[in-house]
Amino acid sequence: MNNKLHPHQKEELAELAVAAMRERGLQPEFSGPALQQLRAIDGPGTADGADIADLSGLLWCSIDNDDSRDLDQITVSETLADGSVKILVAIADVDALIKKDSAIDRHAQINTTSVYTSARIFPMLPEKLSTDLTSLNPSQTRVANVTEMVFAPNGDLLRSHIQRARVRNQAQLAYDAVSAWLTGDGPLPEAADRVPGMDQQLRTQDSVAQQLRARRREQGSLEFQTLQPRAEFDGDRVVAIRQQEQNRARQLIEEFMVATNGVTARYLAGKRRAAIRRVVRSPERWARIAEVAAERGTTLPPEPDSRALEQFLAAERRRDPERFPDLSLTIVKLMGRGEYVLEHPGGPAIGHFGLAVRDYSHSTAPNRRYPDLITGRLIKAALASEPAPYSNTELEMLANHCTRQEDAANKVERQLRKSEAAMLLEGRIGEVFDGVVTGQSKGNTWLRIFEPPADGMLLPSRAVKVGDKLRAKLVDTNVTRGFIDFEQVE
């Protein structure tokens, strides 16, 4: 039995993360020129002029993870006399400090995204910027790109507008605490309680978000529940892996970001500007998705149909909520990855199959995603009626590059999650776990156990298929390679 314990587990995971970054063509450290540029930055970006509105007095708030320090967006609402609701979403103006082709920008362009592992985070921008000078931190006035959207009581978008403005975050809030309050399971978060009127702000934003969510689901938006495990440490030792679950506050932010990204895409198209779109094409493996549904007694149409797929997923969520995340994972894998593409003015809109939207452009996280920084620059140029800062050739090259690097970052994060799980389980060789078969390829079978949530390989056994639930004994772990091996128990 392998009872080996690593004395410096977190440090080892950090070293594995650095190696994985390099192996995937990502840079774990900032270059000398980037650090030199950083030392010369001594304050936030500023902007003056008649085109910069002062919206700093509104009741803005941020809602993010408990440990998030790179705050990309803040929101505020206003109920209008006719019953419609104005939603404002302010996005950090990273370009106010980091100009195209500067040393820091070149680093961001190489990695294209922040990479998050439990032992170490690799930010796309130096933390002096992403968690401070270009972050929409509480009680700090910042320049932002602000999207204004007015929604009818039924969720219809009546009108929208984009402008540059000064904003000020009045309350930094966290998903879980806000969600618990919204559902009556916890108190109003202290940071919100200190701001008169913030409680009604949150109620109004939640109401609009739930209306938008219901409308998207009617149109075929796919409601997944994929597992997002995060390792927890006691000092240097991995002691647990917890699930990051969907909740009302996450839905609030998700709906406003989807809506904002749609407005951004349509604004640039209306200005006859090329842009980078985020798309998920119709699933190429629809036939296999239909087979998975048929195994559960549901017949899907012969051609990709997001509404029919969502109805199947909703029924399965009600029928077997405990195992629904595993079905979600299977469908996500079969749908294929998202990608960035260049969209020419007047060209065909590919759309986002999973979100049931035709217009979608990543714009809401410029501190942690390079396509969003690009989009922010395109928006600023369009607002000022200036030439686009990127040629179509540059945009197409960057779209392809961002897709490749995002895939690489995802692989790094997955690899480290496996190593974290292997560390947690290495002292439990011989134990038996409940699990579900999640994948089969090239003669290999993959298993996910439920507690702790972890993925591993099911060594040769009797014939099984994706979706089968079974019991399996842990027979080996390898922290460095992130391997976890099981054998089926009859």
Side-chain angles (χ1 to χ4, degrees):
M1 183 178 295
N2 177 11
N3 283 319
K4 178 186 176 186
L5 291 178
H6 291 250
H8 301 295
Q9 294 183 344
K10 192 169 187 178
E11 180 181 341
E12 182 177 351
L13 285 174
E15 292 171 354
L16 290 173
V18 169
M21 290 280 287
R22 292 189 172 125
E23 180 183 343
R24 301 289 182 183
L26 301 168
Q27 293 189 355
E29 311 295 346
F30 291 95
S31 68
L35 295 176
Q36 183 178 0
Q37 179 187 351
L38 183 66
R39 286 192 288 271
I41 298 174
D42 57 6
T46 59
D48 296 303
D51 61 325
I52 309 295
D54 185 3
L55 303 179
S56 59
L58 301 181
L59 294 184
W60 297 98
C61 70
S62 61
I63 311 176
D64 214 313
N65 292 313
D66 291 86
D67 55 356
S68 290
R69 297 165 57 219
D70 48 352
L71 305 181
D72 284 293
Q73 75 276 325
I74 53 179
T75 57
V76 68
S77 66
E78 178 187 353
T79 301
L80 304 180
D82 62 359
S84 60
V85 178
K86 179 192 297 182
I87 298 292
L88 299 176
V89 178
I91 308 299
D93 182 6
V94 173
D95 178 68
L97 272 183
I98 304 304
K99 298 304 181 183
K100 182 192 174 195
D101 294 331
S102 64
I104 292 175
D105 183 65
R106 285 194 292 273
H107 173 89
Q109 187 180 126
I110 291 171
N111 284 4
T112 77
T113 183
S114 294
V115 182
Y116 297 91
T117 74
S118 63
R120 180 175 171 184
I121 294 172
F122 302 91
M124 185 183 78
L125 300 174
E127 289 190 344
K128 177 181 175 181
L129 303 178
S130 60
T131 69
D132 186 5
L133 299 181
T134 58
S135 177
L136 299 180
N137 289 351
S139 304
Q140 300 295 319
T141 300
R142 296 283 188 261
V143 181
N145 295 331
V146 177
T147 298
E148 174 185 307
M149 299 168 285
V150 177
F151 294 100
N154 68 353
D156 282 342
L157 178 61
L158 300 177
R159 58 187 181 273
S160 62
H161 175 67
I162 299 178
Q163 63 181 326
R164 301 187 67 207
R166 283 182 291 276
V167 299
R168 189 178 180 89
N169 186 352
Q170 307 286 351
Q172 181 178 356
L173 307 174
Y175 289 127
D176 292 346
V178 171
S179 181
W181 175 72
L182 287 171
T183 57
D185 298 313
L188 180 67
E190 182 181 351
D193 194 36
R194 290 197 297 264
V195 182
M198 188 60 76
D199 54 347
Q200 186 56 51
Q201 268 292 317
L202 294 171
R203 293 284 187 204
T204 300
Q205 292 186 38
D206 173 62
S207 177
V208 173
Q210 290 299 314
Q211 180 69 50
L212 295 178
R213 180 169 177 261
R215 284 179 62 84
R216 279 203 306 118
R217 290 185 64 182
E218 288 173 4
Q219 295 161 4
S221 172
L222 303 181
E223 188 76 7
F224 293 117
Q225 189 180 330
T226 53
L227 299 170
Q228 298 187 44
R230 300 182 66 179
E232 293 185 357
F233 292 87
D234 180 5
D236 282 336
R237 193 164 63 90
V238 179
V239 294
I241 296 177
R242 306 291 184 199
Q243 290 301 120
Q244 186 183 85
E245 296 182 357
Q246 180 68 289
N247 59 38
R248 284 279 283 274
R250 292 182 190 279
Q251 291 167 359
L252 187 162
I253 295 301
E254 178 181 347
E255 292 305 326
F256 289 170
M257 297 310 103
V258 170
T260 300
N261 286 328
V263 169
T264 298
R266 291 188 293 275
Y267 174 81
L268 290 172
K271 293 290 186 178
R272 309 293 295 174
R273 303 276 180 136
I276 290 179
R277 296 286 185 102
R278 178 69 173 180
V279 305
V280 174
R281 303 173 193 269
S282 294
E284 295 180 0
R285 302 182 67 185
W286 179 258
R288 178 58 190 139
I289 292 175
E291 287 178 10
V292 171
E295 291 166 1
R296 290 164 172 77
T298 298
T299 301
L300 294 179
E303 297 298 323
D305 185 322
S306 62
R307 184 171 297 180
L309 180 56
E310 166 54 22
Q311 290 171 350
F312 161 65
L313 291 172
E316 288 298 306
R317 185 189 306 107
R318 291 190 297 270
R319 187 182 69 81
D320 191 358
E322 185 178 355
R323 302 296 180 254
F324 180 71
D326 303 296
L327 173 63
S328 288
L329 178 67
T330 299
I331 300 298
V332 166
K333 287 183 175 180
L334 291 171
M335 282 185 62
R337 61 179 173 81
E339 59 187 297
Y340 295 102
V341 299
L342 169 65
E343 177 154 297
H344 297 277
I350 301 171
H352 195 301
F353 183 87
L355 295 176
V357 292
R358 296 291 294 171
D359 304 301
Y360 197 71
S361 175
H362 271 178
S363 64
T364 57
N367 277 302
R368 52 185 111 169
R369 280 193 313 233
Y370 197 67
D372 304 56
L373 177 51
I374 292 172
T375 300
R377 289 172 175 151
L378 295 173
I379 287 287
K380 288 173 66 176
L383 286 171
S385 299
E386 296 174 350
Y390 299 90
S391 69
N392 288 1
T393 300
E394 282 181 290
L395 287 175
E396 185 164 27
M397 179 274 293
L398 286 167
N400 293 330
H401 174 70
C402 288
T403 297
R404 289 192 300 270
Q405 297 301 78
E406 185 177 283
D407 287 347
N410 288 335
K411 289 174 181 175
V412 170
E413 292 175 354
R414 283 199 300 270
Q415 181 177 335
L416 266 294
R417 284 197 295 268
K418 291 177 180 178
S419 290
E420 293 158 5
M423 270 189 178
L424 180 64
L425 290 169
E426 63 185 351
R428 300 179 66 177
I429 302 295
E431 291 189 29
V432 176
F433 300 85
D434 292 318
V436 62
V437 177
T438 56
Q440 292 175 313
S441 65
K442 300 178 181 178
N444 296 321
T445 299
W446 304 100
L447 178 77
R448 165 164 287 171
I449 61 172
F450 302 129
E451 187 55 45
D455 295 292
M457 181 180 291
L458 186 64
L459 299 179
S461 60
R462 66 176 177 81
V464 295
K465 61 182 184 296
V466 173
D468 283 354
K469 300 169 189 174
L470 50 82
R471 289 173 61 75
K473 181 172 69 174
L474 178 64
V475 296
D476 196 15
T477 62
N478 184 309
V479 172
T480 301
R481 303 181 71 182
F483 288 175
I484 303 173
D485 294 337
F486 296 94
E487 286 182 351
Q488 186 175 357
V489 175
E490 297 295 338

PDB file of all heavy atoms in Angstrom, residues 214-233:
ATOM      1  N   ALA A 214     -34.520  33.016 -17.575  1.00  0.00           N
ATOM      2  CA  ALA A 214     -35.692  32.258 -18.027  1.00  0.00           C
ATOM      3  C   ALA A 214     -35.898  32.412 -19.533  1.00  0.00           C
ATOM      4  O   ALA A 214     -36.212  31.447 -20.239  1.00  0.00           O
ATOM      5  CB  ALA A 214     -36.939  32.732 -17.268  1.00  0.00           C
ATOM      6  N   ARG A 215     -35.687  33.626 -20.049  1.00  0.00           N
ATOM      7  CA  ARG A 215     -35.870  33.859 -21.489  1.00  0.00           C
ATOM      8  C   ARG A 215     -34.824  33.105 -22.301  1.00  0.00           C
ATOM      9  O   ARG A 215     -35.131  32.525 -23.346  1.00  0.00           O
ATOM     10  CB  ARG A 215     -35.785  35.357 -21.797  1.00  0.00           C
ATOM     11  CG  ARG A 215     -37.026  36.132 -21.395  1.00  0.00           C
ATOM     12  CD  ARG A 215     -36.864  37.601 -21.709  1.00  0.00           C
ATOM     13  NE  ARG A 215     -36.701  37.830 -23.136  1.00  0.00           N
ATOM     14  CZ  ARG A 215     -37.701  37.930 -24.011  1.00  0.00           C
ATOM     15  NH1 ARG A 215     -38.946  37.780 -23.592  1.00  0.00           N
ATOM     16  NH2 ARG A 215     -37.469  38.177 -25.273  1.00  0.00           N
ATOM     17  N   ARG A 216     -33.578  33.103 -21.842  1.00  0.00           N
ATOM     18  CA  ARG A 216     -32.542  32.387 -22.598  1.00  0.00           C
ATOM     19  C   ARG A 216     -32.819  30.891 -22.616  1.00  0.00           C
ATOM     20  O   ARG A 216     -32.587  30.216 -23.617  1.00  0.00           O
ATOM     21  CB  ARG A 216     -31.157  32.675 -22.012  1.00  0.00           C
ATOM     22  CG  ARG A 216     -30.548  33.978 -22.463  1.00  0.00           C
ATOM     23  CD  ARG A 216     -29.030  33.987 -22.334  1.00  0.00           C
ATOM     24  NE  ARG A 216     -28.547  33.660 -21.020  1.00  0.00           N
ATOM     25  CZ  ARG A 216     -27.789  32.614 -20.734  1.00  0.00           C
ATOM     26  NH1 ARG A 216     -27.434  31.766 -21.682  1.00  0.00           N
ATOM     27  NH2 ARG A 216     -27.384  32.390 -19.493  1.00  0.00           N
ATOM     28  N   ARG A 217     -33.313  30.368 -21.503  1.00  0.00           N
ATOM     29  CA  ARG A 217     -33.612  28.939 -21.466  1.00  0.00           C
ATOM     30  C   ARG A 217     -34.777  28.612 -22.395  1.00  0.00           C
ATOM     31  O   ARG A 217     -34.781  27.565 -23.048  1.00  0.00           O
ATOM     32  CB  ARG A 217     -33.916  28.500 -20.037  1.00  0.00           C
ATOM     33  CG  ARG A 217     -32.673  28.520 -19.152  1.00  0.00           C
ATOM     34  CD  ARG A 217     -32.946  27.985 -17.778  1.00  0.00           C
ATOM     35  NE  ARG A 217     -33.317  26.574 -17.811  1.00  0.00           N
ATOM     36  CZ  ARG A 217     -33.653  25.869 -16.727  1.00  0.00           C
ATOM     37  NH1 ARG A 217     -33.637  26.457 -15.540  1.00  0.00           N
ATOM     38  NH2 ARG A 217     -33.979  24.600 -16.821  1.00  0.00           N
ATOM     39  N   GLU A 218     -35.738  29.498 -22.489  1.00  0.00           N
ATOM     40  CA  GLU A 218     -36.840  29.298 -23.445  1.00  0.00           C
ATOM     41  C   GLU A 218     -36.323  29.243 -24.879  1.00  0.00           C
ATOM     42  O   GLU A 218     -36.859  28.541 -25.732  1.00  0.00           O
ATOM     43  CB  GLU A 218     -37.864  30.439 -23.321  1.00  0.00           C
ATOM     44  CG  GLU A 218     -38.710  30.396 -22.061  1.00  0.00           C
ATOM     45  CD  GLU A 218     -39.566  31.645 -21.918  1.00  0.00           C
ATOM     46  OE1 GLU A 218     -39.539  32.483 -22.849  1.00  0.00           O
ATOM     47  OE2 GLU A 218     -40.250  31.793 -20.889  1.00  0.00           O
ATOM     48  N   GLN A 219     -35.250  29.994 -25.135  1.00  0.00           N
ATOM     49  CA  GLN A 219     -34.680  30.055 -26.478  1.00  0.00           C
ATOM     50  C   GLN A 219     -33.659  28.954 -26.740  1.00  0.00           C
ATOM     51  O   GLN A 219     -33.076  28.884 -27.814  1.00  0.00           O
ATOM     52  CB  GLN A 219     -34.037  31.427 -26.687  1.00  0.00           C
ATOM     53  CG  GLN A 219     -35.037  32.577 -26.664  1.00  0.00           C
ATOM     54  CD  GLN A 219     -34.382  33.929 -26.422  1.00  0.00           C
ATOM     55  OE1 GLN A 219     -33.152  34.028 -26.339  1.00  0.00           O
ATOM     56  NE2 GLN A 219     -35.195  34.963 -26.293  1.00  0.00           N
ATOM     57  N   GLY A 220     -33.433  28.086 -25.739  1.00  0.00           N
ATOM     58  CA  GLY A 220     -32.547  26.956 -25.949  1.00  0.00           C
ATOM     59  C   GLY A 220     -31.185  27.072 -25.304  1.00  0.00           C
ATOM     60  O   GLY A 220     -30.286  26.287 -25.605  1.00  0.00           O
ATOM     61  N   SER A 221     -31.001  28.043 -24.401  1.00  0.00           N
ATOM     62  CA  SER A 221     -29.726  28.121 -23.698  1.00  0.00           C
ATOM     63  C   SER A 221     -29.535  26.870 -22.854  1.00  0.00           C
ATOM     64  O   SER A 221     -30.463  26.404 -22.193  1.00  0.00           O
ATOM     65  CB  SER A 221     -29.707  29.353 -22.787  1.00  0.00           C
ATOM     66  OG  SER A 221     -28.570  29.350 -21.966  1.00  0.00           O
ATOM     67  N   LEU A 222     -28.346  26.310 -22.895  1.00  0.00           N
ATOM     68  CA  LEU A 222     -28.084  25.048 -22.214  1.00  0.00           C
ATOM     69  C   LEU A 222     -27.668  25.302 -20.772  1.00  0.00           C
ATOM     70  O   LEU A 222     -26.716  26.031 -20.504  1.00  0.00           O
ATOM     71  CB  LEU A 222     -26.992  24.270 -22.948  1.00  0.00           C
ATOM     72  CG  LEU A 222     -27.298  23.984 -24.420  1.00  0.00           C
ATOM     73  CD1 LEU A 222     -26.168  23.175 -25.045  1.00  0.00           C
ATOM     74  CD2 LEU A 222     -28.628  23.255 -24.574  1.00  0.00           C
ATOM     75  N   GLU A 223     -28.385  24.708 -19.848  1.00  0.00           N
ATOM     76  CA  GLU A 223     -28.130  24.894 -18.427  1.00  0.00           C
ATOM     77  C   GLU A 223     -27.294  23.732 -17.916  1.00  0.00           C
ATOM     78  O   GLU A 223     -27.809  22.686 -17.538  1.00  0.00           O
ATOM     79  CB  GLU A 223     -29.464  24.970 -17.665  1.00  0.00           C
ATOM     80  CG  GLU A 223     -29.316  25.343 -16.213  1.00  0.00           C
ATOM     81  CD  GLU A 223     -29.041  26.824 -15.998  1.00  0.00           C
ATOM     82  OE1 GLU A 223     -29.091  27.598 -16.967  1.00  0.00           O
ATOM     83  OE2 GLU A 223     -28.782  27.207 -14.854  1.00  0.00           O
ATOM     84  N   PHE A 224     -25.982  23.913 -17.947  1.00  0.00           N
ATOM     85  CA  PHE A 224     -25.088  22.869 -17.487  1.00  0.00           C
ATOM     86  C   PHE A 224     -24.832  23.009 -15.990  1.00  0.00           C
ATOM     87  O   PHE A 224     -25.114  24.038 -15.389  1.00  0.00           O
ATOM     88  CB  PHE A 224     -23.747  22.933 -18.232  1.00  0.00           C
ATOM     89  CG  PHE A 224     -23.861  22.598 -19.692  1.00  0.00           C
ATOM     90  CD1 PHE A 224     -23.550  23.534 -20.661  1.00  0.00           C
ATOM     91  CD2 PHE A 224     -24.286  21.350 -20.098  1.00  0.00           C
ATOM     92  CE1 PHE A 224     -23.651  23.228 -21.999  1.00  0.00           C
ATOM     93  CE2 PHE A 224     -24.395  21.035 -21.433  1.00  0.00           C
ATOM     94  CZ  PHE A 224     -24.076  21.967 -22.391  1.00  0.00           C
ATOM     95  N   GLN A 225     -24.275  21.965 -15.414  1.00  0.00           N
ATOM     96  CA  GLN A 225     -23.843  22.006 -14.016  1.00  0.00           C
ATOM     97  C   GLN A 225     -22.559  21.200 -13.919  1.00  0.00           C
ATOM     98  O   GLN A 225     -22.516  20.132 -13.322  1.00  0.00           O
ATOM     99  CB  GLN A 225     -24.911  21.430 -13.089  1.00  0.00           C
ATOM    100  CG  GLN A 225     -24.593  21.643 -11.606  1.00  0.00           C
ATOM    101  CD  GLN A 225     -25.670  21.064 -10.719  1.00  0.00           C
ATOM    102  OE1 GLN A 225     -26.831  21.007 -11.109  1.00  0.00           O
ATOM    103  NE2 GLN A 225     -25.301  20.629  -9.532  1.00  0.00           N
ATOM    104  N   THR A 226     -21.529  21.706 -14.546  1.00  0.00           N
ATOM    105  CA  THR A 226     -20.256  20.989 -14.523  1.00  0.00           C
ATOM    106  C   THR A 226     -19.558  21.219 -13.193  1.00  0.00           C
ATOM    107  O   THR A 226     -19.743  22.242 -12.535  1.00  0.00           O
ATOM    108  CB  THR A 226     -19.348  21.454 -15.673  1.00  0.00           C
ATOM    109  OG1 THR A 226     -19.231  22.882 -15.626  1.00  0.00           O
ATOM    110  CG2 THR A 226     -19.927  21.040 -17.011  1.00  0.00           C
ATOM    111  N   LEU A 227     -18.761  20.255 -12.812  1.00  0.00           N
ATOM    112  CA  LEU A 227     -18.065  20.307 -11.533  1.00  0.00           C
ATOM    113  C   LEU A 227     -16.835  21.202 -11.627  1.00  0.00           C
ATOM    114  O   LEU A 227     -16.083  21.135 -12.588  1.00  0.00           O
ATOM    115  CB  LEU A 227     -17.643  18.905 -11.120  1.00  0.00           C
ATOM    116  CG  LEU A 227     -18.790  17.903 -10.931  1.00  0.00           C
ATOM    117  CD1 LEU A 227     -18.233  16.507 -10.756  1.00  0.00           C
ATOM    118  CD2 LEU A 227     -19.656  18.282  -9.747  1.00  0.00           C
ATOM    119  N   GLN A 228     -16.639  22.048 -10.628  1.00  0.00           N
ATOM    120  CA  GLN A 228     -15.456  22.905 -10.577  1.00  0.00           C
ATOM    121  C   GLN A 228     -14.780  22.723  -9.217  1.00  0.00           C
ATOM    122  O   GLN A 228     -14.901  23.568  -8.328  1.00  0.00           O
ATOM    123  CB  GLN A 228     -15.840  24.365 -10.798  1.00  0.00           C
ATOM    124  CG  GLN A 228     -16.457  24.621 -12.161  1.00  0.00           C
ATOM    125  CD  GLN A 228     -16.681  26.099 -12.412  1.00  0.00           C
ATOM    126  OE1 GLN A 228     -15.817  26.930 -12.130  1.00  0.00           O
ATOM    127  NE2 GLN A 228     -17.836  26.445 -12.923  1.00  0.00           N
ATOM    128  N   PRO A 229     -14.082  21.610  -9.034  1.00  0.00           N
ATOM    129  CA  PRO A 229     -13.471  21.340  -7.739  1.00  0.00           C
ATOM    130  C   PRO A 229     -12.291  22.258  -7.436  1.00  0.00           C
ATOM    131  O   PRO A 229     -11.544  22.636  -8.327  1.00  0.00           O
ATOM    132  CB  PRO A 229     -13.013  19.879  -7.854  1.00  0.00           C
ATOM    133  CG  PRO A 229     -12.821  19.669  -9.326  1.00  0.00           C
ATOM    134  CD  PRO A 229     -13.838  20.538 -10.003  1.00  0.00           C
ATOM    135  N   ARG A 230     -12.137  22.608  -6.167  1.00  0.00           N
ATOM    136  CA  ARG A 230     -11.020  23.439  -5.733  1.00  0.00           C
ATOM    137  C   ARG A 230     -10.396  22.797  -4.501  1.00  0.00           C
ATOM    138  O   ARG A 230     -11.095  22.400  -3.562  1.00  0.00           O
ATOM    139  CB  ARG A 230     -11.479  24.855  -5.393  1.00  0.00           C
ATOM    140  CG  ARG A 230     -12.118  25.590  -6.551  1.00  0.00           C
ATOM    141  CD  ARG A 230     -12.509  26.996  -6.171  1.00  0.00           C
ATOM    142  NE  ARG A 230     -11.363  27.833  -5.879  1.00  0.00           N
ATOM    143  CZ  ARG A 230     -11.457  29.115  -5.537  1.00  0.00           C
ATOM    144  NH1 ARG A 230     -12.649  29.687  -5.434  1.00  0.00           N
ATOM    145  NH2 ARG A 230     -10.380  29.820  -5.296  1.00  0.00           N
ATOM    146  N   ALA A 231      -9.078  22.683  -4.513  1.00  0.00           N
ATOM    147  CA  ALA A 231      -8.380  22.081  -3.383  1.00  0.00           C
ATOM    148  C   ALA A 231      -8.335  23.056  -2.210  1.00  0.00           C
ATOM    149  O   ALA A 231      -8.198  24.264  -2.387  1.00  0.00           O
ATOM    150  CB  ALA A 231      -6.966  21.676  -3.791  1.00  0.00           C
ATOM    151  N   GLU A 232      -8.439  22.493  -1.001  1.00  0.00           N
ATOM    152  CA  GLU A 232      -8.295  23.277   0.211  1.00  0.00           C
ATOM    153  C   GLU A 232      -7.077  22.767   0.977  1.00  0.00           C
ATOM    154  O   GLU A 232      -6.825  21.558   1.024  1.00  0.00           O
ATOM    155  CB  GLU A 232      -9.548  23.169   1.079  1.00  0.00           C
ATOM    156  CG  GLU A 232     -10.765  23.809   0.442  1.00  0.00           C
ATOM    157  CD  GLU A 232     -11.978  23.794   1.358  1.00  0.00           C
ATOM    158  OE1 GLU A 232     -11.871  23.219   2.477  1.00  0.00           O
ATOM    159  OE2 GLU A 232     -13.026  24.350   0.970  1.00  0.00           O
ATOM    160  N   PHE A 233      -6.348  23.708   1.573  1.00  0.00           N
ATOM    161  CA  PHE A 233      -5.093  23.371   2.240  1.00  0.00           C
ATOM    162  C   PHE A 233      -5.178  23.639   3.735  1.00  0.00           C
ATOM    163  O   PHE A 233      -5.875  24.552   4.173  1.00  0.00           O
ATOM    164  CB  PHE A 233      -3.938  24.190   1.662  1.00  0.00           C
ATOM    165  CG  PHE A 233      -3.580  23.846   0.245  1.00  0.00           C
ATOM    166  CD1 PHE A 233      -4.237  24.453  -0.825  1.00  0.00           C
ATOM    167  CD2 PHE A 233      -2.586  22.914  -0.033  1.00  0.00           C
ATOM    168  CE1 PHE A 233      -3.910  24.140  -2.123  1.00  0.00           C
ATOM    169  CE2 PHE A 233      -2.253  22.589  -1.330  1.00  0.00           C
ATOM    170  CZ  PHE A 233      -2.908  23.204  -2.385  1.00  0.00           C
TER     171      PHE A 233
END
